[in-house]
Amino acid sequence: MKPSTPDELGACADGSCTVVVTKGTEIPRAAGLRAGPFTVSAVGAEDVDLSSVDASGFTSNLLGQRPDQRGPSTVNELSIAVLAIVGDRVHGQERVCRPQRRRDGP
């Protein structure tokens, strides 16, 4: 797996992308969401840490993200999933996850 190019990472700005990242890679802020940008702060043999500081100074940390964790982590409406870890590279996915309104309630 080759790390994603800046153009490929730029596709994350619309809130939907699948990329390969290494430690230090910045995943751009998704337009219209109060989440990101996220920086890959650590890549271990089994898990990945991501961190984000928004414009107001609020910090979000997604620590110990694993491919087998039974689903993505969500910050506001942005979901981030680790698909695979190969050496120092992470194959991950980012997507907008908008809550669905239930038909039988609010």
Side-chain angles (χ1 to χ4, degrees):
M1 291 186 296
K2 291 176 46 178
S4 296
T5 66
D7 286 341
E8 291 167 332
L9 289 167
C12 295
D14 72 1
S16 182
C17 64
T18 300
V19 293
V20 176
V21 297
T22 59
K23 181 179 178 182
T25 299
E26 184 175 288
I27 301 168
R29 182 179 175 279
L33 300 179
R34 297 179 329 228
F38 280 90
T39 300
V40 178
S41 50
V43 176
E46 297 181 356
D47 59 14
V48 179
D49 295 343
L50 299 110
S51 60
S52 175
V53 179
D54 71 14
S56 71
F58 181 79
T59 300
S60 298
N61 290 302
L62 302 175
L63 304 176
Q65 303 300 294
R66 302 170 60 101
D68 62 355
Q69 70 182 22
R70 298 185 184 164
S73 294
T74 302
V75 177
N76 294 329
E77 295 177 342
L78 180 68
S79 292
I80 296 177
V82 173
L83 303 177
I85 301 172
V86 179
D88 66 345
R89 296 185 178 158
V90 180
H91 185 214
Q93 183 176 49
E94 174 186 276
R95 64 185 168 83
V96 176
C97 178
R98 300 197 190 283
Q100 297 295 314
R101 188 170 261 209
R102 290 177 34 177
R103 293 179 193 257
D104 62 342

